[in-house]
Amino acid sequence: MEALRCLPGVGPKSASRMAFHLVERDRVGAERLAHALLAAAEGVRHCRRCRNLSEAELCSVCADPARDASLLCVVETPADVLAIEQATGFRGQYFVLMGRLSPLDGIGPSELGLDRLEARLDEGQVRELILATNPTVEGEATAHYLAMLARERGIRSTRIAHGVPMGGELEYIDGGTLAHAFSGRREV
Amino acid sequence: MRVELEAAYVLHARAYRETSLLLEAFSLQHGRVGLVARGVRGARSRTRALLQPFQPVLLSWRGGGELATLSGVEAAGPALALQGERLLGGLYANELLLTLVARDDAQPALFAHYQALCAALAAGTPIEVALRVFERDLLDALGYRLLLAQAADGSPLQAALRYRYVADEGAHPASGVDDGVPVAGASLLALGRGELADAAARADAKRLLRAQLERLLNGRRLRTRELARALLGGARGEPATSSIPEGAHRR
């Protein structure tokens, strides 16, 4: 029970429910879970190229020859890669920052390992850098910094659009998002 | 203690546990406060966008001590769309406030200066001028006012003379002393008026203010400065002048 409590949001009560379920009703599931956890804890590492979580040296995206290496999408976390993969038809490659520039927390370019991204840009394959950091103050600062890195190398950089969520109603949207959506309007 | 709808700005927000944020806010009547905002990071949160720096807000909280609990937030105006170097300039001001202003120390005048800085950054005032004026006002609010109208001996400053500005004393004629920051009289007067029109005045003001801030920082590093330096150092071909004073000279 104590071991299950390392999961986020699992307190003593939920931990005991999970433990009883696994031991009393689902021994097979418990063994599968144990094997999967062990394999993940031993085998998962960061992809050499994009730093996404991967079991192999190169993740499946970086290893796929059909992906377009001239499009590089920069995101903050592995969860962002998953979200983009599931929701969009993006066929380029990724670079995972594993964080964002946050000077007030002491996270600067060297703490983020941006030299790896610079090296990637210097390889010369990338034609467009897609900045998909979060629309927070730190995400914007990060995007600005990365755009400067790209500009210096003559690489086009684009920022993902921010706006009204699908199925949303303007009335309930916060002012900042609405202002962004308005200033970023485009011709139809 | 309960505080209702207090005018404030979030200076910094960081993730806390699963769905909460730890906020450092700067408020009109209560100065800098630490707040915990519970459950605002969820997918359905409506308040997340308001709890960003450079968004004027009205905050309500209860509790005291190190961390109070946020109980409400409303927008007090449109968020300022700061981008690029202006955003960095704003973050630099936030870091100064976080580093130099103590918690729970009411600073209504400084709040007004911060508001003016945000407006200036959003309105397109040259970043350097906006930041220098804010630094001047910050020193003033912290009790380290610069003497920008009179020399150390009480005589009016002469625009045509060269001075050396000695901390806690003021400007001495350059021939009289060896220490202090060398500045032109015209630059001191321009900083006093908040109009740094020419490059020489800006450079003088930057050196002068940096020296005074360094004393208060007492060796602490400003990370936004380092970021601005990395940005300018990395971006070759860009003009190599940062509006944010750097801790050490490059080259």
Side-chain angles (χ1 to χ4, degrees), chain A residues 8-9 101-106 108-109 111 136-138 140-141 144-145 148 151-152 172 174 176-177 180, chain B residues 11-12 14 18 46 48-49 52-54 84-85 87 91 94-95 98 223-224 227 230-231 234-236 238:
Chain A
L101 289 180
S102 180
L104 302 189
D105 292 319
E111 283 80 6
T136 58
V137 162
E138 282 95 7
E140 291 298 334
H144 173 66
Y145 188 89
M148 297 296 267
R151 189 200 290 179
E152 204 182 310
Y172 295 114
D174 69 274
T177 307
H180 242 299
Chain B
L11 296 178
H12 187 52
R14 91 180 53 140
E18 277 302 286
R46 292 244 179 85
R48 180 69 201 273
Q52 285 278 317
F54 316 118
E85 210 185 331
L87 181 61
L91 287 175
N94 286 4
E95 189 172 20
L98 285 173
R223 306 302 297 248
T224 41
L227 182 60
L231 195 59
R236 284 170 290 275
E238 293 293 306

Side-chain angles (χ1 to χ4, degrees), chain A residues 101-104 133-145 159 162 180, chain B residues 10-11 52-55 79-95 114 117-118 120-123 125 127 131 224-225 227-228 231 243-244:
Chain A
L101 289 180
S102 180
L104 302 189
T133 51
N134 289 331
T136 58
V137 162
E138 282 95 7
E140 291 298 334
T142 311
H144 173 66
Y145 188 89
R159 181 87 174 101
H162 324 307
H180 242 299
Chain B
V10 170
L11 296 178
Q52 285 278 317
F54 316 118
Q55 158 77 56
L80 302 169
L82 300 184
Q83 285 180 332
E85 210 185 331
R86 293 184 175 272
L87 181 61
L88 270 183
L91 287 175
Y92 167 71
N94 286 4
E95 189 172 20
Y114 180 73
L117 169 75
C118 288
L121 284 176
T125 311
I127 312 173
L131 287 179
T224 41
R225 251 184 212 174
L227 182 60
L231 195 59
S243 54
I244 297 174

Side-chain angles (χ1 to χ4, degrees), chain A residues 149-176:
Chain A
L149 290 184
R151 189 200 290 179
E152 204 182 310
R153 291 166 175 80
I155 297 170
R156 181 171 120 97
S157 57
T158 52
R159 181 87 174 101
I160 55 164
H162 324 307
V164 182
M166 297 284 280
E169 292 173 40
L170 295 190
E171 182 187 350
Y172 295 114
I173 287 164
D174 69 274

